[in-house]
Amino acid sequence: MGTPLLLLVALLLLLLPLVVLLLAHRGARKGKNGGRLPPGPLVVPFLGNWQRHSVEHLVARYGPVVSLRVGTRAIVLVADRRVAHAALVESGAALADRPAPARAFLGETGCTVSRAGYGPVWRLLRRNLVAGTLHPSRARLFAPARAWARRVLVGKLRAPEAPPRVMEELRCATSSLLVLMCFGERLSEPAVRDVAAAQRNLVLFAAHHAHVFAFCPAVTKRLFRRRLRMGLATRRRQEEVFMPLIDARRERKKQLDKGGGAVALTNKAPTAFEHSYVDTLFNTLPSEEGCRLTDDELVSLCSEFLSTGTDTTSTALQWIMAELVKNPAIQEKLYNEIKATCGDEKEEVGAEEDTRKMPYLKAVVLEGLRRHPPAHALLAHRTAEDIDVCGYLIPRGASAIKMMPFGAGRRICAGLGAAVLHLEYFVANLVREFEWHEVPGDEVDLAERHGTTTVMKKPLRARLVPRRIHRAATTAP
């Protein structure tokens, strides 16, 4: 490691004169057309901003629109709703692109809904995701999956161990649901944990260790070879876990196609589900696009499906339930609405037919998302041309980011409807099943901790009092 460090020091010494010049000239920066770039911290040539600051610090110091530079890439942070609307809605087409994939060394080609460039491939992938899996008309297909996840979750929360590990159980329930929706297979809890661990390890590596490769990848791949090997091993582990599930659904589809869908599957397992997200991907790209999705791309799309729906949903659920614990009057008002709508005879609060009749439930969920968005920054939008937004120049090729739960404009989250449906469903059923109280001597703390999502610094612990007669959790979806 000695030689790479010496090379890095030598490079910094060579750049020192330029740093001195920049320190002497810290006036307003101008774009090539004379427009004023948003304010921001000092930029060092080739290296970008020398110091790393939190978003809160940058906004407090420079205002609601801040410009940064990471390596050679310009970034604009937007923390004002008026500017965000002007950028993402009024200038939607100019800001609908994505930066080039920063994790290509991990198998990311940009062929996912969230990372693809603005064009025909993105449109195909998004249309397939929405029409095939997330559209409200498809919600009833996954009702048995939601009911199974709910029964298992309620059964665990009823266990005599008290107080329950709320966040862990919420994450396990949402993981089980999303894995079933993605791969069409009801897996055992250890198998779900394997899938979740492989997915989470890759997300954690990308969040905490992959940023160095954004600066001059040809050099940093050599300087950080050990880190690169760790990332590749993490990706291989994900492929080892995902590919057998993908291949099983591919074989199932071949049997259905061979029999015209009219014959029974020879290897149909009692845990298999009729519909899954991965089923829709096998014929997503039409022949005129040149080829089908590769196995690497299938793994990336399944990884995206799980990562955007698991941690975000479980994190939002924990925040909402924590607020209900802190505000018992609101919890009681919500319970009264649930009871008036569903009565005591129904086994569950239905995600489609019941929750739509509950305006107060919707208000509680939306207020929870407003107060505690699971992430404080969106995936970056890339400008296709120089644009002027509220008097600021956002230069061509820059990334623009706005902090909001689901985004806005043409790249608004495709899973918005499904995410809200899942939140309303679980919140309603958890409040219907239990009274949620603080644990004496262990009060709820709403302090935040930033990670892959913005979680509670002190995980939620609650004393749960069952409201209804115990119903045994079953394993059939």
Side-chain angles (χ1 to χ4, degrees):
M1 289 295 293
T3 302
L5 286 175
L6 288 174
L7 290 173
L8 186 59
V9 170
L11 178 63
L12 293 175
L13 290 175
L14 289 173
L15 293 174
L16 186 59
L18 292 174
V19 175
V20 173
L21 287 174
L22 280 171
L23 288 171
H25 182 68
R26 298 184 64 178
R29 291 168 288 173
K30 300 287 184 179
K32 64 181 182 180
N33 297 325
R36 183 167 62 92
L37 290 171
L42 177 68
V43 174
V44 177
F46 308 110
L47 297 180
N49 298 109
W50 181 253
Q51 294 179 311
R52 297 182 68 183
H53 299 286
S54 68
V55 172
E56 293 85 352
H57 171 85
L58 291 169
V59 170
R61 181 169 182 179
Y62 298 103
V65 185
V66 182
S67 63
L68 302 169
R69 189 168 290 275
V70 177
T72 58
R73 184 159 63 100
I75 293 179
V76 177
L77 290 171
V78 177
D80 178 87
R81 62 183 181 181
R82 180 178 61 90
V83 180
H85 186 274
L88 300 182
V89 179
E90 296 174 12
S91 302
L95 268 167
D97 207 357
R98 292 288 195 216
R103 305 197 299 256
F105 64 94
L106 294 179
E108 182 181 299
T109 62
C111 192
T112 60
V113 180
S114 56
R115 301 282 184 180
Y118 186 58
V121 171
W122 169 74
R123 292 187 184 92
L124 281 171
L125 294 174
R126 182 184 173 93
R127 186 186 309 125
N128 172 74
L129 173 62
V130 173
T133 305
L134 301 182
H135 193 272
S137 64
R138 292 282 184 175
R140 290 188 181 277
L141 290 176
F142 297 104
R146 288 191 297 271
W148 166 68
R150 174 194 56 79
R151 288 193 298 269
V152 174
L153 173 61
V154 169
K156 288 183 176 181
L157 294 177
R158 283 183 180 274
E161 177 186 344
R165 297 167 295 180
V166 175
M167 183 58 185
E168 183 175 329
E169 301 303 348
L170 292 177
R171 183 181 290 119
C172 185
T174 52
S175 293
S176 299
L177 173 58
L178 268 293
V179 167
L180 178 50
M181 292 177 65
C182 183
F183 298 111
E185 181 69 24
R186 179 171 56 80
L187 303 180
S188 65
E189 185 171 325
V192 169
R193 291 187 184 276
D194 283 345
V195 173
Q199 175 64 28
R200 187 167 180 79
N201 288 340
L202 187 71
V203 171
L204 289 173
F205 176 86
H208 300 299
H209 302 292
H211 59 276
V212 297
F213 301 107
F215 168 70
C216 195
V219 175
T220 50
K221 283 183 183 180
R222 295 179 180 274
L223 291 176
F224 299 95
R225 289 190 294 270
R226 184 178 301 176
R227 186 178 299 193
L228 178 59
R229 286 196 296 269
M230 180 173 68
L232 293 174
T234 305
R235 171 67 177 191
R236 282 195 300 272
R237 174 57 183 162
Q238 185 189 50
E239 292 171 348
E240 291 170 1
V241 175
F242 283 22
M243 281 310 302
L245 299 170
I246 294 172
D247 288 338
R249 296 302 289 195
R250 182 153 36 203
E251 180 62 27
R252 179 182 184 277
K253 182 180 184 303
K254 287 179 181 177
Q255 290 192 38
L256 285 173
D257 291 344
K258 189 181 300 184
V263 296
L265 293 171
T266 59
N267 63 343
K268 183 176 181 180
T271 55
F273 204 64
E274 282 299 316
H275 182 75
S276 73
Y277 174 55
V278 76
D279 292 343
T280 70
L281 296 175
F282 295 131
N283 294 319
T284 294
L285 293 181
S287 57
E288 56 265 26
E289 292 295 330
C291 63
R292 302 297 183 193
L293 292 169
T294 66
D295 284 350
D296 277 347
E297 290 165 342
L298 288 172
V299 169
S300 293
L301 284 161
C302 291
S303 175
E304 173 190 50
F305 186 87
L306 296 177
S307 65
T308 55
T310 302
D311 278 354
T312 51
T313 302
S314 57
T315 297
L317 271 174
Q318 180 183 218
W319 281 115
I320 293 169
M321 299 314 298
E323 288 284 1
L324 291 175
V325 171
K326 295 285 286 185
N327 297 275
I330 294 176
Q331 182 182 164
E332 188 62 22
K333 184 175 180 180
L334 176 58
Y335 174 69
N336 290 335
E337 180 184 67
I338 296 168
K339 187 175 180 180
T341 303
C342 300
D344 293 323
E345 299 304 317
K346 295 184 67 173
E347 181 182 355
E348 68 169 8
V349 179
E352 303 89 8
E353 65 277 10
D354 294 329
T355 57
R356 69 178 59 181
K357 304 173 187 175
M358 302 182 188
Y360 194 69
L361 169 66
K362 185 174 291 293
V364 166
V365 169
L366 293 179
E367 178 65 5
L369 289 171
R370 186 190 72 82
R371 292 174 67 90
H372 307 285
H376 276 205
L378 295 176
L379 291 174
H381 291 245
R382 182 179 180 274
T383 55
E385 58 191 36
D386 285 0
I387 61 172
D388 183 270
V389 177
C390 299
Y392 291 111
L393 170 73
I394 302 183
R396 180 178 181 273
S399 300
I401 303 173
K402 171 65 182 81
M403 295 172 287
M404 59 180 68
F406 298 103
R410 303 192 182 198
R411 298 302 289 246
I412 193 170
C413 177
L416 188 158
V420 173
L421 180 142
H422 288 163
L423 289 173
E424 292 176 353
Y425 174 77
F426 280 109
V427 169
N429 281 286
L430 289 174
V431 170
R432 187 180 187 228
E433 292 288 345
F434 304 102
E435 295 177 28
W436 292 69
H437 302 284
E438 285 189 312
V439 176
D442 192 7
E443 286 73 22
V444 173
D445 184 357
L446 298 179
E448 295 181 346
R449 178 173 63 83
H450 299 295
T452 53
T453 55
T454 305
V455 299
M456 296 179 68
K457 190 174 183 179
K458 177 184 173 185
L460 174 63
R461 289 166 63 86
R463 181 171 61 89
L464 304 185
V465 179
R467 299 183 193 264
R468 287 154 42 86
I469 298 174
H470 173 68
R471 298 174 185 266
T474 61
T475 57

Short mmCIF file of all heavy atoms in Angstrom, two decimals, residues 278-318:
data_model
loop_
_atom_site.label_atom_id
_atom_site.label_comp_id
_atom_site.label_asym_id
_atom_site.label_seq_id
_atom_site.Cartn_x
_atom_site.Cartn_y
_atom_site.Cartn_z
N VAL A 278 -40.77 -11.61 -11.72
CA VAL A 278 -39.76 -12.16 -12.62
C VAL A 278 -40.41 -12.83 -13.83
O VAL A 278 -39.83 -12.86 -14.92
CB VAL A 278 -38.82 -13.12 -11.86
CG1 VAL A 278 -39.49 -14.47 -11.59
CG2 VAL A 278 -37.52 -13.33 -12.62
N ASP A 279 -41.63 -13.35 -13.68
CA ASP A 279 -42.34 -13.93 -14.83
C ASP A 279 -42.49 -12.91 -15.96
O ASP A 279 -42.41 -13.27 -17.14
CB ASP A 279 -43.74 -14.40 -14.42
CG ASP A 279 -43.71 -15.59 -13.47
OD1 ASP A 279 -42.66 -16.24 -13.37
OD2 ASP A 279 -44.74 -15.84 -12.82
N THR A 280 -42.74 -11.67 -15.59
CA THR A 280 -43.00 -10.63 -16.60
C THR A 280 -41.73 -10.21 -17.33
O THR A 280 -41.82 -9.53 -18.36
CB THR A 280 -43.63 -9.39 -15.95
OG1 THR A 280 -42.65 -8.70 -15.13
CG2 THR A 280 -44.83 -9.75 -15.09
N LEU A 281 -40.56 -10.57 -16.80
CA LEU A 281 -39.31 -10.08 -17.36
C LEU A 281 -38.76 -10.95 -18.48
O LEU A 281 -37.92 -10.50 -19.25
CB LEU A 281 -38.24 -9.98 -16.26
CG LEU A 281 -38.50 -8.97 -15.15
CD1 LEU A 281 -37.43 -9.07 -14.07
CD2 LEU A 281 -38.55 -7.55 -15.70
N PHE A 282 -39.23 -12.20 -18.58
CA PHE A 282 -38.62 -13.12 -19.54
C PHE A 282 -38.83 -12.69 -20.98
O PHE A 282 -38.01 -12.99 -21.85
CB PHE A 282 -39.15 -14.54 -19.32
CG PHE A 282 -38.76 -15.13 -18.00
CD1 PHE A 282 -39.69 -15.74 -17.18
CD2 PHE A 282 -37.44 -15.07 -17.56
CE1 PHE A 282 -39.33 -16.28 -15.96
CE2 PHE A 282 -37.07 -15.60 -16.33
CZ PHE A 282 -38.01 -16.21 -15.53
N ASN A 283 -39.91 -11.98 -21.26
CA ASN A 283 -40.17 -11.51 -22.62
C ASN A 283 -40.35 -10.01 -22.67
O ASN A 283 -41.11 -9.48 -23.49
CB ASN A 283 -41.41 -12.20 -23.20
CG ASN A 283 -41.21 -13.68 -23.39
OD1 ASN A 283 -40.16 -14.12 -23.83
ND2 ASN A 283 -42.22 -14.46 -23.04
N THR A 284 -39.65 -9.28 -21.79
CA THR A 284 -39.87 -7.83 -21.70
C THR A 284 -39.37 -7.11 -22.93
O THR A 284 -40.06 -6.28 -23.51
CB THR A 284 -39.18 -7.27 -20.45
OG1 THR A 284 -39.82 -7.80 -19.29
CG2 THR A 284 -39.29 -5.75 -20.41
N LEU A 285 -38.13 -7.37 -23.35
CA LEU A 285 -37.58 -6.66 -24.50
C LEU A 285 -38.03 -7.36 -25.78
O LEU A 285 -37.73 -8.53 -25.98
CB LEU A 285 -36.05 -6.63 -24.44
CG LEU A 285 -35.44 -5.80 -23.32
CD1 LEU A 285 -33.93 -5.84 -23.41
CD2 LEU A 285 -35.92 -4.37 -23.37
N PRO A 286 -38.75 -6.67 -26.66
CA PRO A 286 -39.18 -7.29 -27.91
C PRO A 286 -38.00 -7.56 -28.82
O PRO A 286 -36.92 -6.99 -28.66
CB PRO A 286 -40.14 -6.25 -28.51
CG PRO A 286 -39.70 -4.95 -27.93
CD PRO A 286 -39.19 -5.26 -26.55
N SER A 287 -38.21 -8.42 -29.81
CA SER A 287 -37.11 -8.84 -30.67
C SER A 287 -36.47 -7.68 -31.42
O SER A 287 -35.28 -7.71 -31.71
CB SER A 287 -37.61 -9.90 -31.67
OG SER A 287 -38.69 -9.39 -32.43
N GLU A 288 -37.24 -6.64 -31.72
CA GLU A 288 -36.65 -5.52 -32.47
C GLU A 288 -35.62 -4.75 -31.65
O GLU A 288 -34.84 -3.99 -32.19
CB GLU A 288 -37.72 -4.57 -32.98
CG GLU A 288 -38.64 -3.99 -31.92
CD GLU A 288 -39.92 -4.80 -31.79
OE1 GLU A 288 -39.90 -6.01 -32.11
OE2 GLU A 288 -40.93 -4.23 -31.39
N GLU A 289 -35.63 -4.93 -30.33
CA GLU A 289 -34.61 -4.28 -29.51
C GLU A 289 -33.28 -5.03 -29.57
O GLU A 289 -32.29 -4.57 -29.03
CB GLU A 289 -35.08 -4.19 -28.05
CG GLU A 289 -36.24 -3.25 -27.84
CD GLU A 289 -35.87 -1.81 -28.14
OE1 GLU A 289 -34.70 -1.44 -27.94
OE2 GLU A 289 -36.76 -1.07 -28.58
N GLY A 290 -33.24 -6.21 -30.16
CA GLY A 290 -31.97 -6.88 -30.38
C GLY A 290 -31.75 -8.12 -29.56
O GLY A 290 -31.09 -9.04 -30.02
N CYS A 291 -32.25 -8.19 -28.33
CA CYS A 291 -31.97 -9.34 -27.48
C CYS A 291 -32.91 -9.35 -26.29
O CYS A 291 -33.60 -8.37 -26.01
CB CYS A 291 -30.51 -9.34 -27.01
SG CYS A 291 -30.10 -7.93 -25.99
N ARG A 292 -32.93 -10.47 -25.59
CA ARG A 292 -33.66 -10.57 -24.34
C ARG A 292 -32.77 -10.07 -23.21
O ARG A 292 -31.57 -9.86 -23.37
CB ARG A 292 -34.06 -12.03 -24.08
CG ARG A 292 -34.90 -12.66 -25.18
CD ARG A 292 -36.23 -11.96 -25.34
NE ARG A 292 -37.05 -12.62 -26.35
CZ ARG A 292 -38.14 -12.10 -26.87
NH1 ARG A 292 -38.54 -10.91 -26.50
NH2 ARG A 292 -38.83 -12.74 -27.78
N LEU A 293 -33.38 -9.94 -22.03
CA LEU A 293 -32.60 -9.56 -20.86
C LEU A 293 -31.64 -10.69 -20.50
O LEU A 293 -32.00 -11.87 -20.53
CB LEU A 293 -33.54 -9.29 -19.68
CG LEU A 293 -34.44 -8.06 -19.79
CD1 LEU A 293 -35.49 -8.07 -18.69
CD2 LEU A 293 -33.62 -6.78 -19.72
N THR A 294 -30.41 -10.33 -20.16
CA THR A 294 -29.43 -11.32 -19.74
C THR A 294 -29.68 -11.71 -18.29
O THR A 294 -30.45 -11.06 -17.57
CB THR A 294 -28.01 -10.76 -19.87
OG1 THR A 294 -27.85 -9.67 -18.93
CG2 THR A 294 -27.74 -10.24 -21.28
N ASP A 295 -29.01 -12.77 -17.83
CA ASP A 295 -29.15 -13.19 -16.44
C ASP A 295 -28.68 -12.09 -15.49
O ASP A 295 -29.29 -11.87 -14.44
CB ASP A 295 -28.35 -14.47 -16.18
CG ASP A 295 -29.05 -15.70 -16.75
OD1 ASP A 295 -30.23 -15.58 -17.17
OD2 ASP A 295 -28.42 -16.78 -16.79
N ASP A 296 -27.59 -11.41 -15.83
CA ASP A 296 -27.11 -10.30 -15.00
C ASP A 296 -28.16 -9.22 -14.88
O ASP A 296 -28.39 -8.65 -13.79
CB ASP A 296 -25.82 -9.69 -15.59
CG ASP A 296 -24.58 -10.47 -15.18
OD1 ASP A 296 -24.70 -11.31 -14.27
OD2 ASP A 296 -23.52 -10.24 -15.78
N GLU A 297 -28.83 -8.91 -15.99
CA GLU A 297 -29.86 -7.88 -15.96
C GLU A 297 -31.09 -8.33 -15.19
O GLU A 297 -31.72 -7.53 -14.48
CB GLU A 297 -30.22 -7.48 -17.39
CG GLU A 297 -29.10 -6.71 -18.09
CD GLU A 297 -29.28 -6.61 -19.59
OE1 GLU A 297 -30.07 -7.40 -20.15
OE2 GLU A 297 -28.62 -5.76 -20.21
N LEU A 298 -31.44 -9.61 -15.29
CA LEU A 298 -32.54 -10.14 -14.50
C LEU A 298 -32.25 -10.03 -13.00
O LEU A 298 -33.12 -9.64 -12.21
CB LEU A 298 -32.82 -11.60 -14.87
CG LEU A 298 -33.46 -11.85 -16.24
CD1 LEU A 298 -33.49 -13.35 -16.54
CD2 LEU A 298 -34.87 -11.29 -16.30
N VAL A 299 -31.01 -10.37 -12.60
CA VAL A 299 -30.62 -10.25 -11.20
C VAL A 299 -30.71 -8.79 -10.76
O VAL A 299 -31.20 -8.48 -9.66
CB VAL A 299 -29.21 -10.81 -10.97
CG1 VAL A 299 -28.69 -10.46 -9.58
CG2 VAL A 299 -29.20 -12.32 -11.15
N SER A 300 -30.24 -7.87 -11.60
CA SER A 300 -30.27 -6.45 -11.24
C SER A 300 -31.70 -5.95 -11.09
O SER A 300 -32.01 -5.16 -10.18
CB SER A 300 -29.53 -5.62 -12.30
OG SER A 300 -28.15 -5.92 -12.30
N LEU A 301 -32.60 -6.37 -11.97
CA LEU A 301 -33.99 -5.94 -11.89
C LEU A 301 -34.68 -6.50 -10.65
O LEU A 301 -35.46 -5.80 -9.98
CB LEU A 301 -34.74 -6.35 -13.15
CG LEU A 301 -34.44 -5.48 -14.39
CD1 LEU A 301 -34.83 -6.20 -15.67
CD2 LEU A 301 -35.15 -4.14 -14.30
N CYS A 302 -34.40 -7.76 -10.32
CA CYS A 302 -34.97 -8.34 -9.09
C CYS A 302 -34.38 -7.65 -7.86
O CYS A 302 -35.09 -7.41 -6.88
CB CYS A 302 -34.70 -9.84 -9.05
SG CYS A 302 -35.61 -10.80 -10.28
N SER A 303 -33.09 -7.34 -7.92
CA SER A 303 -32.44 -6.63 -6.81
C SER A 303 -33.08 -5.26 -6.61
O SER A 303 -33.35 -4.85 -5.48
CB SER A 303 -30.95 -6.48 -7.11
OG SER A 303 -30.30 -5.70 -6.13
N GLU A 304 -33.37 -4.57 -7.71
CA GLU A 304 -34.02 -3.27 -7.62
C GLU A 304 -35.41 -3.41 -7.02
O GLU A 304 -35.80 -2.61 -6.16
CB GLU A 304 -34.12 -2.68 -9.03
CG GLU A 304 -34.94 -1.39 -9.11
CD GLU A 304 -35.21 -0.98 -10.54
OE1 GLU A 304 -35.67 -1.83 -11.33
OE2 GLU A 304 -34.97 0.19 -10.86
N PHE A 305 -36.15 -4.41 -7.44
CA PHE A 305 -37.51 -4.62 -6.93
C PHE A 305 -37.50 -4.82 -5.41
O PHE A 305 -38.32 -4.24 -4.69
CB PHE A 305 -38.12 -5.86 -7.61
CG PHE A 305 -39.56 -6.11 -7.28
CD1 PHE A 305 -40.57 -5.50 -8.00
CD2 PHE A 305 -39.92 -6.97 -6.24
CE1 PHE A 305 -41.91 -5.74 -7.71
CE2 PHE A 305 -41.25 -7.20 -5.93
CZ PHE A 305 -42.24 -6.59 -6.67
N LEU A 306 -36.55 -5.61 -4.92
CA LEU A 306 -36.47 -5.87 -3.48
C LEU A 306 -35.96 -4.66 -2.71
O LEU A 306 -36.49 -4.32 -1.65
CB LEU A 306 -35.56 -7.07 -3.22
CG LEU A 306 -36.04 -8.42 -3.79
CD1 LEU A 306 -35.01 -9.50 -3.52
CD2 LEU A 306 -37.39 -8.81 -3.22
N SER A 307 -34.92 -4.01 -3.23
CA SER A 307 -34.29 -2.92 -2.47
C SER A 307 -35.20 -1.70 -2.36
O SER A 307 -35.21 -1.01 -1.34
CB SER A 307 -32.96 -2.51 -3.11
OG SER A 307 -33.17 -1.96 -4.40
N THR A 308 -36.00 -1.44 -3.40
CA THR A 308 -36.87 -0.26 -3.35
C THR A 308 -38.15 -0.50 -2.57
O THR A 308 -38.87 0.46 -2.27
CB THR A 308 -37.24 0.19 -4.77
OG1 THR A 308 -37.82 -0.91 -5.49
CG2 THR A 308 -36.01 0.67 -5.54
N GLY A 309 -38.44 -1.76 -2.22
CA GLY A 309 -39.69 -2.03 -1.53
C GLY A 309 -39.57 -2.59 -0.14
O GLY A 309 -40.56 -2.62 0.59
N THR A 310 -38.38 -3.05 0.27
CA THR A 310 -38.24 -3.73 1.55
C THR A 310 -37.84 -2.77 2.66
O THR A 310 -38.63 -2.48 3.57
CB THR A 310 -37.23 -4.87 1.44
OG1 THR A 310 -37.65 -5.80 0.43
CG2 THR A 310 -37.12 -5.61 2.76
N ASP A 311 -36.62 -2.25 2.60
CA ASP A 311 -36.15 -1.38 3.68
C ASP A 311 -36.97 -0.10 3.79
O ASP A 311 -37.25 0.38 4.89
CB ASP A 311 -34.67 -1.02 3.47
CG ASP A 311 -33.74 -2.12 3.96
OD1 ASP A 311 -34.26 -3.09 4.56
OD2 ASP A 311 -32.53 -2.03 3.75
N THR A 312 -37.37 0.46 2.63
CA THR A 312 -38.15 1.70 2.68
C THR A 312 -39.50 1.48 3.35
O THR A 312 -39.94 2.29 4.18
CB THR A 312 -38.36 2.23 1.25
OG1 THR A 312 -38.87 1.17 0.43
CG2 THR A 312 -37.07 2.75 0.65
N THR A 313 -40.18 0.37 3.01
CA THR A 313 -41.49 0.10 3.60
C THR A 313 -41.38 -0.21 5.09
O THR A 313 -42.15 0.32 5.90
CB THR A 313 -42.17 -1.06 2.87
OG1 THR A 313 -42.29 -0.75 1.48
CG2 THR A 313 -43.56 -1.33 3.44
N SER A 314 -40.44 -1.07 5.47
CA SER A 314 -40.30 -1.42 6.89
C SER A 314 -39.86 -0.21 7.71
O SER A 314 -40.31 -0.03 8.85
CB SER A 314 -39.31 -2.57 7.06
OG SER A 314 -38.05 -2.28 6.51
N THR A 315 -39.00 0.63 7.14
CA THR A 315 -38.58 1.84 7.85
C THR A 315 -39.75 2.79 8.05
O THR A 315 -39.96 3.32 9.15
CB THR A 315 -37.46 2.55 7.06
OG1 THR A 315 -36.32 1.70 6.98
CG2 THR A 315 -37.07 3.86 7.73
N ALA A 316 -40.54 3.02 6.98
CA ALA A 316 -41.71 3.90 7.10
C ALA A 316 -42.71 3.34 8.10
O ALA A 316 -43.31 4.09 8.88
CB ALA A 316 -42.36 4.10 5.73
N LEU A 317 -42.91 2.02 8.10
CA LEU A 317 -43.82 1.40 9.05
C LEU A 317 -43.38 1.64 10.49
O LEU A 317 -44.20 1.96 11.36
CB LEU A 317 -43.90 -0.11 8.79
CG LEU A 317 -44.96 -0.60 7.80
CD1 LEU A 317 -44.80 -2.10 7.55
CD2 LEU A 317 -46.36 -0.28 8.28
N GLN A 318 -42.08 1.48 10.73
CA GLN A 318 -41.58 1.69 12.09
C GLN A 318 -41.82 3.13 12.54
O GLN A 318 -42.28 3.37 13.67
CB GLN A 318 -40.09 1.36 12.18
CG GLN A 318 -39.56 1.56 13.59
CD GLN A 318 -38.06 1.31 13.72
OE1 GLN A 318 -37.59 0.77 14.69
NE2 GLN A 318 -37.30 1.73 12.72
#
